[in-house]
Amino acid sequence: MASVASASVANAGAERAPPRSTVVEVVAAAGVVAGGISFTLALHSDEVAGQLGEPLVVAMLSVLLTLSYILCGLVAWWRRPASRFGPLMIAAGFTTFLTSLVWAHHAVPSTLGQALDLVPPVLFLHVFLAFPDGRVRERSVRLLLVVAYTTAIGLELVRMYFGEFGSRNLLEHELNPGVTESVRKVQLTLVSVYCLLGIGVLVARRLRGGRPLRRSLALLVDAFGVGLLMLAFLFLSAAYGGPWVAQIRWATFVTLSLAPMVFLIGLLQARLARSALTGLVVELRTDLSPSDLRDALARALRDPSLELAYWLPQFETYADVEGRPLDLVTLGRGRATTLIERKGVRVAALLHDPSLGDEPELLGAATAAAGIALENARLQAELRAGLEELRGSRARVIAAGQKERKRLERDLHDGAQQRLIALSLELNMLEQQLDAEPDAQARLDQARQEIALSLAELRDVAHGIHPAVLSGHGLHVALESMVARAPVPVHLLVDVDDRLEEPLEVAAYYVVSESIANIGKHAHASSATVDVRRTDGHVVVEIVDNGVGGADTEGGTGLRGLADRVEALGGRLRVWTPAGGGTRVKAEIPCA
Amino acid sequence: MRVAIAEDSVLLREGLSRLLGEAGFEVVAQCGDADELMLKVRSYALDVAIVDIRLPPTHSDEGLRAALEIRASHPSVGVLVLSQYVELGLAMKLLADSAEGVGYLLKDRISDVKDFVSSVRRVADGGSALDPIIVSTLLSRQRDDDPLTELTPRERDVLVLMAEGSSNQGIADKLVITTRAVEKYVSTIFAKLGLPSTGTESRRVLAVLAFLRA
């Protein structure tokens, strides 16, 4: 299966090597040490016991928070090196650790911890907003984060400058409790507002997405947005005094500690998608039709919005499996595009939910497995597009011929025919003036007879070139005369009220005229029926005779030419002609 | 008799106007298109309008529509439609309700001045003129059970002239027989075809056409 393996996924994001294992080990070890330090500091801190409650609980929760971000971040970084989400989580974990230094008895670490005290909430906000690829794309959201970090650190430094936080604060410059209290309220209120804004951003993103979520887990991830709400409530309570502060604090800690694991599962879901991929492989092994390929891929990648566009180099366009051209710009709006190549040749473009871009392995494996099927589908699309173009050009050739015929008929009508009539009239008037010369009169009369014959022949020629009555008065009138001259009694039923498009009228007219001519030549029929009716989106022309049947549908140009006309309009012509059972010709032509 | 002509070929329009003038008609209007004709029909008390079926701007069915409109809104004005092809379906449209004051002839018939003039006069007088091609198409039409085989050749001739709109006098002149003889033929034909005898000659046309078309 070397050829399948060579299917490659381009444009799936810059490939980045995972971190080296020593780096992972060092960071993990540092995380554990950090957790240990936090634990010890919390247990031995006077502030914890005084303000936050049971030291053991505080210690355990702060270790949980630190380690869950660092370790989940490490796994994410290792498994998804292309995503910045892992490093972001690790940073959040270590920052949480640094804030616990505030409990240190030494002034330097304590000052550092104090300065960073409100950074973790902003980092959590950052993490929520940057899921799943670690990037924040919207300019406004970036601005929100910058302002939030500034508020968290800047105002904290102001509070420290004016002497809040007691003796281990090295930044104290003057003591002014009035200022610090006001700044504290402003700072906490602002951070709450940022958290609420963050929730607004998450909701807006979901609404703008407009499509069903790619997977139900995304709902769970969203649900953790409630952590932001709890943070907001917590800070407002701390600033203005609110109920259940202690309980909410614990619940917030737990929620925030669980979030990294949910994020991690969300990121790594490709691991869990194996069963879906297996399903795809099984489906591909059965004779999956090209039109079902999209559905199979959509199931395997769990993205119902997925679209496949096949590349047709001959037409330099993308097309669906039926060969109809697709506009990738419109189709790709709000979606990510992944180009699928085989042996270096472009096969198709996959338009999918942007979140799939975080799972290049899944995408790569699915498209590689579908490699041959994709190439088959592309060939089918190319074939259909070719057929469609052929039909179009055939229709254009017929239309051009028809136009030329109409012009010829018109020229005859306005030119030779009018002149001959005028000439004949002139001769007749001359004849009347020549009362006394019987010889000349007879010759003039003879000339007029000749002109009459020429006119009759010319009329037949003109009618053969193009039946003017058809363009002038429509199918019903034209068929009425044709049927009256038919070689057998013909029962005519026309159930079409309006005029139809000209190519359609012409095709229907020739189907009837050729069929009636065939009845006269071959059918030995005693009667026939012509039925023209309009049924949902089609004009159906049906000619049935009670003759001997067994008509030659291959030889002769008649039926073949008719089929060409009908097929060029996207319709089809069928002939039933059992020996001894009469002949039925049925044309179905689509009409608007 | 006052006549208006609608024909976009100047050559034929002039020719028609000259021959009708010489035949004693007063040609009050020569029109190049249907709108002009309708204007003249409204402004002059015409006896008959001669209309080319193919008129500008599209040269499709403008002439026919004008003819139908005149027949609907000015029943006293006879309408003679000329065309380079005659079609049964169009004859049926023109004679849908009545055969009074209506004609439908191949343009070629103009050159047979005597016949043509008498056709114009007949239509102007409220009679009818149907092209022989229409009638022969109808007569030659294949039928499961053909009652026309019952007719003698002479009766057939009378039937044809009757269908073309000829009066009894016209038929008598054409076949060089007396009008009494024509009347006899007519009643025999109606009896053989199982048609109820009708009053006027134009109603007779309609009855015969309806019979032949069925």
Side-chain angles (χ1 to χ4, degrees), chain B residues 1-5 16-18 20-21 25-30:
Chain B
M1 278 185 170
R2 293 154 72 84
V3 56
I5 301 166
L16 265 174
S17 162
R18 194 153 55 99
L20 289 173
F25 287 87
E26 185 190 348
V27 179
V28 295
Q30 295 187 41

Side-chain angles (χ1 to χ4, degrees), chain A residues 256-335:
Chain A
L256 291 175
S257 315
L258 290 178
M261 293 166 215
V262 178
F263 287 139
L264 185 63
I265 295 170
L267 266 182
L268 298 187
Q269 226 214 4
R271 295 276 102 189
L272 309 173
R274 261 201 197 122
S275 59
L277 257 188
T278 315
L280 174 66
V281 172
V282 170
E283 278 192 272
L284 286 169
R285 227 179 272 159
T286 63
D287 280 331
L288 188 67
S289 83
S291 44
D292 293 337
L293 184 57
R294 189 214 76 91
D295 295 347
L297 275 173
R299 275 194 298 277
L301 299 173
R302 283 150 295 123
D303 180 5
S305 73
L306 182 118
E307 290 287 351
L308 265 173
Y310 300 95
W311 174 245
L312 309 182
Q314 193 186 339
F315 301 95
E316 295 196 331
T317 180
Y318 283 97
D320 65 8
V321 73
E322 298 298 330
R324 290 178 291 243
L326 293 176
D327 178 11
L328 239 50
V329 178
T330 338
L331 204 61
R333 204 156 286 155
R335 292 193 242 195

Side-chain angles (χ1 to χ4, degrees), chain A residues 491-513:
Chain A
H491 189 49
L492 175 67
L493 294 161
V494 179
D495 192 8
V496 178
D497 294 336
D498 307 323
R499 293 294 303 273
L500 302 167
E501 279 171 49
E502 183 158 35
L504 211 162
E505 283 187 339
V506 172
Y509 178 87
Y510 281 117
V511 167
V512 177
S513 95

Side-chain angles (χ1 to χ4, degrees), chain B residues 50-68:
Chain B
I50 298 176
V51 191
D52 182 1
I53 205 162
R54 255 165 121 166
L55 284 176
T58 72
H59 296 270
S60 57
D61 64 347
E62 282 89 348
L64 180 76
R65 276 192 278 126
L68 291 174

Side-chain angles (χ1 to χ4, degrees), chain A residues 358-383:
Chain A
D358 313 322
E359 297 175 31
E361 302 99 324
L362 176 62
L363 209 49
T367 51
I372 289 179
L374 280 167
E375 179 59 29
N376 279 344
R378 195 199 70 79
L379 284 174
Q380 177 181 319
E382 195 164 62
L383 197 68

